């Protein structure tokens, strides 16, 4: 099975930047798409961004488009989420996830999840 480990979260001021990393190991051959989701207190887990391992095709939530960039390093089995111009509304636990589908923006499309990393943006 696939194992995912997120890192890179922390506390930043509004307008700052962070880069999250997600290291994948195990049976990654069936994980065609990697995604980032986030969950803030009292809110449902929401889609942030996704990328296909093969083509690099990306999807973004409207709330982060233009500010966040998802990328991957296939050789390292690692995906990244570069977060710029951070806002307090971005505060959440960010989860990395793997999906067997080529396009996946719903949480139910992902079958493996990391433990999450906290991102806190102060005002």
């Amino acid at each position: 099975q696939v194992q995912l480990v997120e890192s890179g979260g922390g506390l930043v001021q509004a307008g700052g930047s962070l880069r999250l990393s997600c290291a994948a190991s195990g049976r990654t051959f069936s994980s065609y798409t990697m995604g980032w989701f986030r969950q803030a207190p009292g809110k449902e887990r929401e889609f942030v961004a996704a990328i296909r391992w093969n083509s690099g095709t990306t999807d973004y939530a409207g709330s982060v488009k233009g500010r966040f960039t998802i990328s991957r390093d296939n050789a390292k089995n690692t995906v990244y989420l570069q977060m710029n111009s951070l806002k307090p509304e971005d505060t959440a636990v960010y989860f990395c996830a793997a999906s067997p589908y080529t396009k996946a923006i719903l949480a139910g499309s992902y079958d493996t999840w990391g433990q999450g990393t906290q991102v806190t943006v102060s005002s």
Side-chain angles (χ1 to χ4, degrees):
Q1 298 298 315
V2 179
Q3 295 85 45
L4 304 174
V5 179
E6 304 99 330
S7 62
L11 173 64
V12 297
Q13 291 192 34
S17 299
L18 282 174
R19 188 178 77 157
L20 306 183
S21 298
C22 174
S25 61
R27 296 173 57 193
T28 59
F29 65 90
S30 61
S31 299
Y32 295 104
T33 303
M34 300 294 292
W36 287 98
F37 289 75
R38 66 187 183 186
Q39 188 166 23
K43 297 184 66 177
E44 296 295 315
R45 188 169 298 186
E46 67 173 344
F47 170 78
V48 176
I51 188 168
R52 294 187 214 170
W53 282 114
N54 187 33
S55 68
T57 301
T58 58
D59 289 295
Y60 294 95
S63 59
V64 306
K65 200 169 188 177
R67 298 189 297 121
F68 292 10
T69 302
I70 188 170
S71 61
R72 92 291 196 201
D73 186 332
N74 297 63
K76 293 183 176 181
N77 278 344
T78 301
V79 296
Y80 306 94
L81 185 68
Q82 178 66 48
M83 305 184 294
N84 299 324
S85 301
L86 283 162
K87 306 174 181 179
E89 308 91 84
D90 296 318
T91 296
V93 176
Y94 283 70
F95 296 91
C96 178
S99 172
Y101 300 103
T102 56
K103 186 171 185 178
I105 60 173
L106 301 177
S109 297
Y110 292 80
D111 56 14
T112 305
W113 296 80
Q115 82 287 354
T117 185
Q118 177 70 47
V119 172
T120 302
V121 184
S122 64
S123 59

